[in-house]
Amino acid sequence: MPIDESKSLVGSLSVESVALQWSSVTQRVAEASKKSGRSPSEVTIVGITKYVDSQTAMWLWGAGCTDLGESRPQSLWEKQAALDAVSLSDERKIRWHFIGHLQRNKSLKTIANLSLLQSLDSVRLAQQVQRDAESLGISVDALVEVNVSGEPNKTGILSQDLPAVLDDLAGLDRIQVRGLMGMAGLQTTNPRTDFAKLRKLRDDMVIRFGDQFQLGQLSMGMSGDFEEAIEEGSTMVRIGSLLFEPIGS
Ligand SMILES: *Cc1c(COP(=O)(O)O)cnc(C)c1O
């Protein structure tokens, strides 16, 4: 997982390279979906633009990617300002996702124009989102981020704490929980193990909470493991670095 956000991308990205990578990723998603007996339309590709500037993000949108995700509030706001000016008059309006740790003092501005908060990782954050959503007069779609591998340095709610957290979230009427988000642990030998755990956890919660929640979304899979994730039931893959590889690299 490339974490160095500046060095992995030298100046050789172009509108063509981004379009080519987008088309290759959509094709691989379609193949992985079919392989697991599902329709490609059941899997949303969220383009993670945290490594690139607004111009490059706009190329990705131009190539056909209408779900864009950021992991830092400031970067989300900047890209929204730059891209929404162009995309709002377009049929392909951008759906913005937030995927990083959200500090409570940044919640108001972050949820104001968001399609999906993928990283709801504490009840305290949820309470803040509830208050901010109330003041904005909106309701917020969210995924609960689960630390499915249990690795101590990972964000997210531990699997065993999820039922209690969902009990609390059930009382917050401005938050619509749509499912779970997670990633494979760094120590996990085969990412499928963690993806299968997350899917099982979601299925358990569906049984436990019935129609109190609509937990249809399973956001799992990144550049290095999205095909495995789709085969294990992912409905949403979050792809960053793979989309921004220069041609020929
Ligand atoms: C950066 C990031 C991604 C995308 O990772 P890539 O490996 O670059 O595709 C996905 N999910 C989260 C939570 C991230 O922070």
Side-chain angles (χ1 to χ4, degrees), residues 206-214:
V206 168
I207 292 167
R208 183 174 180 129
F209 287 92
D211 52 15
Q212 237 182 319
F213 297 108
Q214 302 297 318

Side-chain angles (χ1 to χ4, degrees), residues 1-3 5 48 50-51 71 99-100 145 181 183 221-224 238-242:
M1 188 172 22
I3 282 308
E5 297 190 5
I48 304 303
K50 66 188 183 191
Y51 310 106
S71 60
I99 62 167
E145 182 178 352
M181 184 271 253
M183 59 186 85
M222 309 180 6
S223 290
R238 308 178 307 271
I239 314 273
S241 44
L242 188 58

